Amino acid sequence: MSQETSEASSTPPLISRRSTRTGLPPLRNYIRDAWTYRTFAVHWSRADVKARNFDTFFGRAWHVINPLLFGLIYFVFVGIVGGGGFSDMERLAMIVGNLYAWLFFSGVITTSVGAVQSGAGGILAMSSIPRVVLPMASAITAGNLFLRSLLAYVPIHFLGQRGAHIEMLWIPVLAVLTLMAGLGIALIMAVLNVYFRDVSRLLPHVLRLWMYLSPVIWDYTRVLDSAELARLNPLYPLMTAWTIAFGGTLDPNGPGIVSQVGWSFAWSAVSLVVGFLVFVSREDEFAVRN
Amino acid sequence: MSLQFETDAVRITDLSLSYSAVVEVPPEERTSPFARRTKKRLIHALNDVSFSVPAGKAVALIGGNGAGKSTLMKAMVGALKPSSGRIDLWGRAHLLAPGMGFNRKLSGRENVLLGGLAAGMSLAEVREKQEAIIEFADIGGFIDMPTTTYSSGMFGRLAFAVATHVDPEILLIDEALSAGDAGFRDRAVNRVQTMCAAARTIIVVSHSTALVAEMATEAIWLHQGSVRQQGEVNEVADAYLEFQTKGRETAQLDRTIADR
């Protein structure tokens, strides 16, 4: 062993690390490396879901109880503030269904930001795992919890007499689009939070305000006269699509689900691509700034 | 990748690494009640470090607190990027750090799976080696209890067992064995020697000069982010101990940082 550079190795190194890169790495290699950790992402997510409520009395039942309580609270809130009372079960079903979709979207964001901030079990500080694996795992966790919340929604759907609709076939597509939109926003927020920790403090408030501005606890027909303006909210077409998918169209002259899915796809794709590029270009800083 | 003896496994060339950290402003430095209470400090953790390690060697990295040992390890594994210089590796590097990828609420058995996957093993590989890992860790019935109930020594055992079954070409051990008992340390030393015989390269950090003398044949002494001495392990360890007992080994952090 010598302090001077050894001449012994004639084969090129397997790995060569140099000073912090600016900009994007070779994306094909990066995506391939991240893909090799997909099994880890799935198991990390499963562990996360299992560990939540691990030491509580109701345990895994909280995955169903939590969204149910959330929906009931907002039903009461809307009944008091909106003056509609509490007898409209169909309205309850609409609010609960939309809330579950919203919680899926916001859950992807908050879980991802939290995972990057916490360093996820030392992964950020002690390995070279592609950092995008952490939000990937968080998105899987949010999806897992969303599927469980749908179990809570089913009886409410029938209580609200919302019936079966052909638009329900779009639910899997909407789930994918919601995941894409949430993951894109999550990637951007995770980066911002590394530089400005205040982001994690502001995020719950921003998400709550965004929810009120989107047709989650109010129906989309209230802004039909200003649909172009409403569409500037990326979540407007997505939440409108969810409303129609769960309960059928509320206005035959209003937007159809196909157009809303189209707009949602556009917003979700832009969100995911921009978020991915921003995240990957800055991930070298995470271990240092955490 | 297969390594051969007489070739380098690790080559560090003029490596420097600096990073900024947010620190609290001491009360005596605040000019008004409304002044910011935090500021950024630039920490020069590594300064022009150069050395190489041949394949099949076990090398100890010694130095006082804040010397840059852990930073160097993290840079080698890719968690931190160099500010300048380069790191060349002829093989996969794995940093043995207790609990990496672990979920503390889950059992040791479940965390063997997570830790193995986080280290880059495939699911089939982890399942195949799971029992061997658990047997090597030798923590008895605790393997099925949440790792929140583990002592630091048990945690270290489990992490060591996972890391050595990952079987990387280059294994970096950062204080992971300090908490282990004598019996486990003997087995760990044997394991390291077996890996070296198979042309694996080990770099171990420990404050225990006795442990590094057992594990390593050569040593590098890091002081304030630079290489102060390197050579045969006992020679370097003796020089380091002499330096310490002369009382000059104070906390090095304040000499390696500068205000921004």
Side-chain angles (χ1 to χ4, degrees):
Chain A
M1 179 178 72
S2 64
Q3 194 162 6
E4 294 81 22
T5 304
S6 167
E7 299 176 8
S9 300
S10 56
T11 53
L14 180 68
I15 299 165
S16 190
R17 306 196 203 281
R18 302 190 194 200
S19 58
T20 305
R21 58 175 162 80
T22 53
L24 297 169
L27 285 180
R28 187 180 294 179
N29 292 344
Y30 184 90
I31 292 171
R32 185 191 60 219
D33 288 344
W35 185 247
T36 63
Y37 283 97
R38 64 192 183 282
T39 309
F40 169 72
V42 167
H43 283 268
W44 177 263
S45 167
R46 276 193 203 161
D48 184 19
V49 171
K50 183 174 180 178
R52 289 176 189 225
N53 311 307
F54 181 76
D55 45 5
T56 60
F57 179 79
F58 289 110
R60 289 184 298 174
W62 276 110
H63 297 317
V64 175
I65 297 171
N66 215 26
L68 197 59
L69 286 176
F70 202 66
L72 284 172
I73 289 167
Y74 270 97
F75 177 66
V76 169
F77 169 73
V78 171
I80 293 173
V81 172
F86 310 113
S87 59
D88 190 346
M89 293 304 294
E90 188 175 358
R91 180 206 275 273
L92 169 65
M94 185 203 82
I95 291 172
V96 171
N98 287 356
L99 271 174
Y100 290 174
W102 176 263
L103 286 174
F104 179 22
F105 170 75
S106 62
V108 172
I109 298 172
T110 53
T111 311
S112 297
V113 171
V116 173
Q117 180 172 334
S118 70
I123 286 170
L124 279 188
M126 293 181 276
S127 78
S128 58
I129 289 177
R131 284 21 179 162
V132 78
V133 171
L134 300 180
M136 269 169 56
S138 299
I140 295 170
T141 299
N144 192 328
L145 295 174
F146 172 65
L147 289 176
R148 291 162 193 256
S149 68
L150 285 183
L151 289 176
Y153 174 70
V154 169
I156 299 173
H157 182 92
F158 286 107
L159 272 175
Q161 296 179 322
R162 296 189 94 188
H165 312 277
I166 191 77
E167 289 89 352
M168 283 177 160
L169 295 175
W170 286 100
I171 288 177
V173 174
L174 293 178
V176 171
L177 294 179
T178 305
L179 189 142
M180 284 170 58
L183 189 54
I185 302 293
L187 293 171
I188 296 170
M189 290 298 123
V191 170
L192 288 177
N193 192 52
V194 168
Y195 293 94
F196 311 107
R197 291 291 190 208
D198 309 68
V199 168
S200 60
R201 305 289 190 276
L202 286 170
L203 197 54
H205 305 295
V206 169
L207 285 174
R208 195 170 299 118
L209 180 63
W210 199 355
M211 187 188 78
Y212 295 144
L213 292 173
S214 307
V216 178
I217 59 174
W218 47 270
D219 67 69
Y220 64 89
T221 56
R222 294 178 70 168
V223 293
L224 283 181
D225 290 340
S226 51
E228 281 75 24
L229 194 64
R231 216 176 283 128
L232 290 176
N233 174 4
L235 266 297
Y236 173 80
L238 186 60
M239 294 314 305
T240 300
W242 274 112
T243 306
I244 299 172
F246 278 136
T249 186
L250 299 179
D251 183 347
N253 298 318
I257 193 164
V258 173
S259 65
Q260 300 311 294
V261 168
W263 279 109
S264 300
F265 176 77
W267 277 116
S268 300
V270 168
S271 165
L272 186 59
V273 169
V274 170
F276 178 77
L277 294 176
V278 167
F279 187 93
V280 171
S281 69
R282 305 312 307 177
E283 68 164 35
D284 282 352
E285 306 260 327
F286 293 174
V288 173
R289 290 177 179 268
N290 262 6
Chain B
M1 181 180 191
S2 68
L3 293 173
Q4 299 176 358
F5 297 101
E6 307 303 325
T7 59
D8 281 345
V10 177
R11 187 183 304 157
I12 312 289
T13 311
D14 300 326
L15 176 69
S16 294
L17 200 153
S18 303
Y19 57 90
S20 60
V22 176
V23 299
E24 192 173 353
V25 177
E28 59 270 17
E29 288 183 23
R30 289 180 213 156
T31 54
S32 82
F34 304 104
R36 284 185 63 86
R37 292 178 176 254
T38 59
K39 63 180 177 182
K40 285 189 179 175
R41 273 196 164 175
L42 189 63
I43 298 176
H44 301 290
L46 297 171
N47 302 298
D48 292 323
V49 172
S50 294
F51 65 85
S52 59
V53 181
K57 291 284 188 185
V59 171
L61 204 53
I62 59 177
N65 297 319
K69 305 183 298 297
S70 294
T71 304
L72 179 57
M73 300 283 245
K74 290 177 184 176
M76 281 195 274
V77 83
L80 297 174
K81 294 297 187 287
S83 301
S84 64
R86 70 187 277 171
I87 300 167
D88 294 316
L89 305 175
W90 281 263
R92 295 172 303 144
H94 178 73
L95 176 59
L96 169 55
M100 188 193 76
F102 284 13
N103 187 310
R104 296 301 300 267
K105 285 189 176 178
L106 301 187
S107 69
R109 189 182 299 275
E110 289 164 314
N111 276 303
V112 165
L113 179 67
L114 278 181
L117 290 172
M121 295 166 80
S122 68
L123 185 61
E125 215 178 332
V126 176
R127 294 216 190 279
E128 188 188 322
K129 295 182 179 180
Q130 192 169 24
E131 287 311 311
I133 293 171
I134 291 170
E135 190 182 330
F136 188 91
D138 191 25
I139 55 175
F142 277 92
I143 194 64
D144 290 306
M145 295 188 65
T147 53
T148 46
T149 63
Y150 288 14
S151 66
S152 52
M154 292 163 68
F155 220 70
R157 284 175 172 238
L158 194 62
F160 185 86
V162 171
T164 51
H165 285 79
V166 170
D167 199 24
E169 285 84 20
I170 303 163
L171 178 61
L172 312 173
I173 305 175
D174 191 357
E175 296 282 14
L177 301 177
S178 302
D181 58 36
F184 181 77
R185 286 222 295 267
D186 287 343
R187 288 197 291 130
V189 168
N190 288 337
R191 180 77 177 159
V192 164
Q193 289 169 346
T194 303
M195 292 177 74
C196 286
R200 296 315 191 233
T201 304
I202 316 287
I203 301 178
V204 57
V205 168
S206 178
H207 283 295
S208 166
T209 47
L211 180 64
V212 301
E214 276 185 279
M215 276 199 167
T217 54
E218 298 174 16
I220 301 169
W221 173 10
L222 268 190
H223 180 68
Q224 296 180 0
S226 300
V227 175
R228 187 179 177 106
Q229 185 177 345
Q230 59 187 94
E232 194 274 327
V233 63
N234 289 313
E235 189 184 311
V236 177
D238 289 344
Y240 170 64
L241 282 174
E242 188 185 347
F243 182 84
Q244 275 197 306
T245 53
K246 284 183 179 174
R248 281 184 243 165
E249 192 71 356
T250 55
Q252 304 178 35
L253 186 63
D254 56 342
R255 295 196 57 181
T256 60
I257 61 174
D259 288 336
R260 262 200 169 168

